[in-house]
Amino acid sequence: MNWISNYVRPKINSLFSRREVPENLWTKCPECGTMLFHRELSDNLNVCTNCNHHMPISPRARFAALFDAGVFTEVKVPDPLPDPLQFRDQKKYPERLKAAQKQTGEKEAMLVAEGEMGRTPIVAAAQDFSFMAGSMGMYVGNAIIAAARRAVDLKRPLILFSAAGGARMQEGILSLLQMPRTTVAVQMLKEAGLPYIVVLTHPTTGGVTASYAMLGDVQIAEPNALICFAGPRVIEQTIREKLPEGFQRAEYLLDHGMLDRVTHRKALRDELIAITRMLMGMPPAVKGDLPPPAAEPAPAPAEAATGAPQA
Amino acid sequence: MNYLDFEKPLAEIEGKAQELRALARANSEMDVSKEAEALDRKAEAALRDLYRTLTPWQKCQVARHPDRPHCRDYVAALFSDVMPLAGDRGFADDQAVFGGLARFNDQPVVVIGHEKGHDTKTRIEHNFGMARPEGYRKAIRLMDLAHRFRLPVITLIDTPGAYPGKGAEERGQSEAIARSTAKCLEIGVPLVSVVIGEGGSGGAVAFATANRVAMLEHSVYSVISPEGCASILWKDAEKMREAAEALRLTAQDLQKLGVIDRIIKEPLGGAQRGRKETIEAVGKAIEIMLKELSAKKPDTLIRDRRNKFLEMGTKGLAA
C-alpha cells in the first residue's frame, strides 16, 4: 500500500524477469530428452518432433490450431458462487484459485468457444490441466452446460477436449455433483440429435472420466494419454502388485474396447472435420488450410451472448 | 458391542455396570440394582453428550460402524416378495451390489443397494461394498426394467467408493459409473435414495442421482474419503479430522447446501444401538418420498430430476 511496494518492487521484478526470457526458448522433451526450439514445438502443437511425445497444450493454443485461421468466439460461462464451502486446507481455496489464475492467465479450468473448423460450424470446450489439474468444480460444470446449451441453440456438434485429475476437492460434494450435472448437458445434445465428440487427452482421470468424458458418441484419445477412474498408484496400493507396462494408457483402452480411436494430435483436426461432417449429413470437406470464414454468411444468431472474437 | 475410539469413556461405564451385574448374579445376597441403575443413567448421559456433538470425523466413524444395519437388513425388514435378480449379462454378477424386484407396502418396486457384509467372510464376499463395473451395469439393467414396467426405484447407498482394481479398470469402471448416473437421469419412474452409511464418491452418485435423496442423521456423503483428501491436500493421511471438517460431508451440512432433501433421525447412540428403530425410520422416509412423487407423470419426473441437479450448488452454506 505504499510507494515501495507499488512502484519499486514491480520495477525490480521486471528487471529480473527480463533475464529469464531466453531460458523459455527451449523445451526439453520429458520422454526422449531432445531439446526443442519453442517455435518448432508450437508449430508441431506441442508434440515432440523426435519421439512424438504429446506434451500439454493450452486450450487457447488448441483452439487457435483447431478453428479456421485460428478465429473463434468465446462462449460466456455463468460464474458460480465463489468458494461455496469456505474450504481451507493448508491454504485457503480462493488463494489457490488466484495463484492458478496468475500462473495460467485464465479464469478457470475450461474454455468454451464457437467457430468453424474446416468450414464446419462447431462448439468446442477444452479443459486446462495447468489450472489446478483441470479439476472439475462448479465452473467446469457450468462451462459444459453452457457449451451444450449453445450447441443446441446453434444446432452444432460439441467437441470436448478433456484433461483433468478429477473432481475439485475444494468444492467437496458440489464437485461430485458435477457428474450428474454434466451428464444432463450430454443428454441435452443427445435429445437434440447433435453429435458429442470427446477427445481424451493426458491425463483424464477420476470423476471426469466417470461422467461427461466417457459419454461421447465418438471417443478419441491422444496417444499414450493416461485415462482411468482410479489412478495407477491407488490401484498398486490396493492390490499390492506392479501394474503392466502401458496400463490405463490410450492404446490399452483401445485394446480393451473403451475407445473408438487413438489419434495423433496433428491428424486430429482433419479427423474431427470428417467425423462431424458425416454425422451432420454434410458433404465432404475441402482438405488443407482455409482462409478465415467470410464475414457475410455468418450463420450464428444471437451473437450478443458471446464474448469478443479472438485474433 | 463394538466401541469406537471416541466412545471409550462410555465403554468404561457400561463395562462397570456389566461387571457389577455379573457379580450380583454370582452372589445372590448382594443388591447392586441401585448402583447399576446409577451407572446406566451415567452411561446414557455420556452417550447423549457424545452424540450431540459428533465431529465430522466421528460421524465418518459412526457411518462405517460394523454394527449399523446394512442393505440386506433393510431389504429383509422393509420389503416383501423379495426377488433378487443377478448379473450384468456381460461378464459377472457383482456381489457388492444387491438388486432385485420386491414389494414395498405391497407396491412392486425395484430395489438396488450397496452391500458391505457383516463379518469377515461376507465382507470379502461383498468386496466391502466396493462395486466393480458389473455392479453398475446390473443396476443399469434393473433401472431399465423398472422404467419399462413403471416400477419406482429405491436405492440404498452404503459404499466406501467404486473398487480401484486392475480388472475393474480394464472392464471400464468409469464408463460403467457414467452410464449408471446417466440412466438415473433417464428413467420415467420415481427414484428415491437413502444414504444409510457411507456415500463414497462416484460409486455413490451412480445410484443417488435421484428425485429425492435422504440421509441418515450420522451418515456421510463425499467426493473423497477424508483419508484420501488428507493425503492429497495435506500430504498426510493422518490429517483426516481436518479433511472431514473441510469437506462438509455430514447430512446436516449437505442439507444446508441443498444437496439432500431430508435427514432421517437416528436413535440415541446411532443406528448401531437401535437397528430396528433405524430401519423403521428409513421405511417411513421412503414411504413419504414415494408418496410425494406418486402423482407425477414420467416426463415430469425426468424433467424435475434434471432441473434439480442443474440448479444444485447455486446456494452456499449461508442458508
Side-chain angles (χ1 to χ4, degrees), chain A residues 59-124:
Chain A
R60 261 176 223 285
R62 193 183 278 281
F63 285 173
L66 181 74
F67 289 102
D68 294 343
V71 178
F72 60 91
T73 310
E74 263 182 64
V75 172
K76 203 171 148 35
V77 175
D79 280 321
L81 273 182
D83 193 15
L85 306 188
Q86 291 137 38
F87 193 97
R88 152 165 225 157
D89 48 88
Q90 285 159 316
K91 259 192 204 165
K92 283 185 181 158
Y93 176 39
E95 286 169 24
R96 285 193 191 268
L97 261 182
K98 258 183 226 137
Q101 283 166 344
K102 209 172 151 198
Q103 185 206 329
T104 58
E106 293 291 345
K107 187 175 167 191
E108 252 282 2
M110 187 167 267
L111 189 65
V112 184
E114 59 187 78
E116 292 194 357
M117 166 188 81
R119 290 278 193 270
T120 319
I122 59 158
V123 174

Side-chain angles (χ1 to χ4, degrees), chain A residues 80-81 84-90 96 138 142 145 149 167-181 183-185 187-188 190-191 206 209-212 214-216 227-231 234-236 238-239 241-244 247-248 252-253 256 258, chain B residues 130 137 162-167 169-175 177-179 181-183 185-186 199-206 209 221-224 228-229 232-235 242-243 246-248 254 257 259 302 305-307 309-318:
Chain A
L81 273 182
L85 306 188
Q86 291 137 38
F87 193 97
R88 152 165 225 157
D89 48 88
Q90 285 159 316
R96 285 193 191 268
M138 280 295 285
N142 283 358
I145 294 164
R149 286 198 166 131
R168 185 169 295 170
M169 277 172 288
Q170 290 88 346
E171 292 185 21
I173 192 83
L174 297 179
S175 66
L176 184 68
L177 291 173
Q178 301 316 306
M179 291 171 63
R181 283 185 93 224
T183 304
V184 174
Q187 289 173 344
M188 290 176 191
K190 300 221 157 146
E191 270 152 33
T209 333
S211 56
Y212 59 89
M214 269 292 163
L215 294 171
I227 302 160
C228 59
F229 179 65
V234 176
I235 297 176
E236 276 180 346
T238 312
I239 63 172
E241 59 179 280
K242 270 245 129 330
L243 293 166
F247 182 67
Q248 298 179 319
Y252 186 91
L253 267 83
H256 284 81
M258 292 298 148
Chain B
M130 293 184 284
R137 290 184 180 132
Y163 184 61
K166 186 167 163 265
E169 290 288 320
E170 277 173 353
R171 297 191 298 276
Q173 184 73 294
S174 45
E175 194 259 2
I177 293 171
R179 297 254 175 241
T181 312
K183 187 54 74 187
L185 288 161
E186 280 164 6
S201 193
V205 97
T209 306
Y221 186 10
S222 176
V223 64
I224 187 169
C229 180
I232 297 172
L233 289 185
W234 277 264
K235 315 263 180 272
E242 287 86 339
L247 282 167
R248 313 268 180 192
L254 296 175
L257 283 166
V259 169
I302 296 172
R305 203 184 294 130
R306 288 186 187 176
N307 287 340
F309 282 91
L310 282 180
E311 278 154 29
M312 230 168 238
T314 45
K315 82 181 200 190
L317 269 178

Side-chain angles (χ1 to χ4, degrees), chain A residues 8-274:
Chain A
V8 177
R9 204 179 290 158
K11 273 279 174 207
I12 294 172
N13 285 347
S14 71
L15 282 177
F16 281 104
S17 57
R18 217 173 277 162
R19 251 187 236 169
E20 288 166 14
V21 171
E23 286 173 23
N24 296 339
L25 290 177
W26 294 87
T27 304
K28 188 174 172 181
C29 171
E31 204 57 35
C32 69
T34 307
M35 293 303 284
L36 300 154
F37 191 59
H38 72 106
R39 193 156 300 145
E40 177 189 25
L41 190 61
S42 63
D43 283 350
N44 207 38
L45 304 177
N46 288 10
V47 178
C48 174
T49 48
N50 180 49
C51 72
N52 274 328
H53 175 67
H54 283 53
M55 294 178 218
I57 182 167
S58 73
R60 261 176 223 285
R62 193 183 278 281
F63 285 173
L66 181 74
F67 289 102
D68 294 343
V71 178
F72 60 91
T73 310
E74 263 182 64
V75 172
K76 203 171 148 35
V77 175
D79 280 321
L81 273 182
D83 193 15
L85 306 188
Q86 291 137 38
F87 193 97
R88 152 165 225 157
D89 48 88
Q90 285 159 316
K91 259 192 204 165
K92 283 185 181 158
Y93 176 39
E95 286 169 24
R96 285 193 191 268
L97 261 182
K98 258 183 226 137
Q101 283 166 344
K102 209 172 151 198
Q103 185 206 329
T104 58
E106 293 291 345
K107 187 175 167 191
E108 252 282 2
M110 187 167 267
L111 189 65
V112 184
E114 59 187 78
E116 292 194 357
M117 166 188 81
R119 290 278 193 270
T120 319
I122 59 158
V123 174
Q127 216 157 353
D128 192 346
F129 192 76
S130 63
F131 194 106
M132 292 187 78
S135 53
M136 167 178 69
M138 280 295 285
Y139 186 92
V140 168
N142 283 358
I144 294 169
I145 294 164
R149 286 198 166 131
R150 189 71 186 145
V152 171
D153 283 349
L154 299 174
K155 298 193 173 55
R156 293 180 183 192
L158 174 63
I159 299 177
L160 184 136
F161 300 87
S162 69
R168 185 169 295 170
M169 277 172 288
Q170 290 88 346
E171 292 185 21
I173 192 83
L174 297 179
S175 66
L176 184 68
L177 291 173
Q178 301 316 306
M179 291 171 63
R181 283 185 93 224
T182 55
T183 304
V184 174
V186 175
Q187 289 173 344
M188 290 176 191
L189 292 162
K190 300 221 157 146
E191 270 152 33
L194 295 165
Y196 168 53
I197 297 170
V198 181
V199 179
L200 297 120
T201 76
H202 179 77
T204 302
T205 70
V208 169
T209 333
S211 56
Y212 59 89
M214 269 292 163
L215 294 171
D217 295 306
V218 179
Q219 297 276 134
I220 306 175
E222 289 190 339
N224 203 35
L226 176 75
I227 302 160
C228 59
F229 179 65
R233 226 173 340 139
V234 176
I235 297 176
E236 276 180 346
Q237 280 163 12
T238 312
I239 63 172
R240 305 203 180 278
E241 59 179 280
K242 270 245 129 330
L243 293 166
E245 182 72 23
F247 182 67
Q248 298 179 319
R249 296 289 170 165
E251 295 74 10
Y252 186 91
L253 267 83
L254 186 70
D255 276 351
H256 284 81
M258 292 298 148
L259 297 173
D260 290 295
R261 306 180 58 77
V262 175
T263 304
H264 193 288
R265 196 177 285 160
K266 288 287 270 183
L268 206 48
R269 181 172 181 272
D270 283 345
E271 225 169 71
L272 289 170
I273 293 170

